[in-house]
Amino acid sequence: MVYITSWDEFVERSAQLFRADPDSTRYVMKYRHCDGKLVLKVTDNKECLKFKTDQAQDAKKMEKLNNIFFTLMSRGPDADVSKLQGKNRQKHNQGKEGEGNNSFVGC
Amino acid sequence: MVLLQLDPFLNELTSMFEQSTEKGTVWVTLKRSSLKSKVQRNKMATAGEPVEYRCLIRATNGKKTISTSVGAKDHQRFQASYTTILKAHMTALKKRERKDKKKAAGADKKEGSKKP
């Protein structure tokens, strides 16, 4: 299965997939409380993107992705989601810088 | 497949989450749909009428399936309620260990001040 490790990449590619074929693209969420796992899938029946996690912070990110999809699906693929995505990017950039520094310190 | 109105759907979804705490899965699917057949859609397109699209939401616990459809007007309200339900029930996920982050951030700051 095509599991994507980067959240931003998953969001970017899912949005692209949806815009390319809005009628056949669907977004599936699977949650297992007993295992504490969350899996997200976006597919247009030709290509499939998946993201799995057990982190609470990813649940928050998923909520933002839900907002993006709701907007795209009910208002149409041309709906403006740049505001929703922009916030994600800023936060993730800060996170990335932090992670980069951490690895440097480790060495 | 049970097609419900927005609020009953949310209530049923909540009970699904509660029932599958010990064992089981909850699946939620989002798809864009106009709820009309292809023939009807083509007719509407040629007639010049705008095809109204809605967001179809399906939820299942493996045994029972419920669904609802959300239009552009209701989507804000549904989104808010949906987010609340998810936050309330997705408690089994691991929380990030902030202690490591803080220590690392503290060490970074020290390093940053030493460098220049």
Side-chain angles (χ1 to χ4, degrees):
Chain A
M1 272 276 95
V2 193
Y3 279 105
I4 299 186
T5 38
S6 150
W7 174 260
D8 272 355
E9 194 195 329
F10 178 72
V11 174
E12 192 67 50
R13 287 176 68 182
S14 321
Q16 274 173 10
L17 209 62
F18 180 78
R19 288 202 176 94
D21 195 350
D23 287 328
S24 67
T25 307
R26 66 180 185 279
Y27 162 60
V28 185
M29 181 205 74
K30 167 179 160 184
Y31 176 67
R32 275 184 69 84
H33 191 99
C34 44
D35 295 338
K37 288 223 157 64
L38 175 69
V39 182
L40 308 173
K41 175 164 87 167
V42 180
T43 177
D44 63 350
N45 298 323
K46 292 167 207 164
E47 210 186 303
C48 177
L49 308 165
K50 287 181 103 173
F51 184 87
K52 67 177 168 185
T53 182
D54 55 357
Q55 301 289 323
Q57 47 151 337
D58 288 330
K60 287 184 194 170
K61 291 181 191 168
M62 182 203 70
E63 282 160 24
K64 290 189 181 136
L65 182 63
N66 286 345
N67 291 353
I68 293 173
F69 273 116
F70 273 122
T71 313
L72 284 174
M73 288 180 181
S74 40
R75 294 197 179 163
D78 307 319
D80 179 27
V81 291
S82 53
K83 285 180 192 173
L84 298 165
Q85 279 182 327
K87 280 182 187 174
N88 278 345
R89 279 182 190 167
Q90 282 172 19
K91 279 186 183 175
H92 199 77
N93 281 339
Q94 286 171 11
K96 268 187 178 173
E97 285 171 7
E99 281 169 17
N101 285 337
N102 285 348
S103 58
F104 192 71
V105 168
C107 295
Chain B
M1 170 83 75
V2 187
L3 186 68
L4 303 168
Q5 291 299 310
L6 269 184
D7 295 313
F9 175 82
L10 292 166
N11 292 334
E12 283 291 327
L13 181 65
T14 310
S15 65
M16 257 189 204
F17 269 111
E18 285 163 6
Q19 284 164 15
S20 58
T21 318
E22 287 300 304
K23 186 178 158 178
T25 316
V26 178
W27 300 77
V28 181
T29 308
L30 258 63
K31 188 181 196 268
R32 182 169 173 253
S33 171
S34 66
L35 299 176
K36 289 196 188 340
S37 69
K38 213 174 182 183
V39 178
Q40 278 183 313
R41 267 187 273 146
N42 284 337
K43 279 186 184 172
M44 284 172 91
T46 46
E49 294 170 36
V51 187
E52 194 209 308
Y53 285 102
R54 295 173 69 83
C55 181
L56 185 67
I57 299 140
R58 266 183 239 128
T60 179
N61 62 355
K63 289 167 193 174
K64 191 171 74 161
T65 313
I66 49 170
S67 69
T68 188
S69 104
V70 174
K73 294 173 212 169
D74 323 308
H75 102 262
Q76 296 272 14
R77 185 170 75 87
F78 180 82
Q79 199 172 288
S81 314
Y82 181 62
T83 310
T84 313
I85 295 176
L86 292 189
K87 263 192 228 178
H89 289 100
M90 292 193 168
T91 48
L93 299 172
K94 293 179 198 163
K95 303 219 166 139
R96 193 186 242 180
E97 289 173 14
R98 287 188 182 179
K99 285 181 185 176
D100 296 334
K101 244 201 144 185
K102 274 185 179 175
K103 280 183 185 174
D108 290 340
K109 281 179 184 175
K110 284 179 185 175
E111 281 244 335
S113 59
K114 278 180 185 175
K115 277 178 183 174

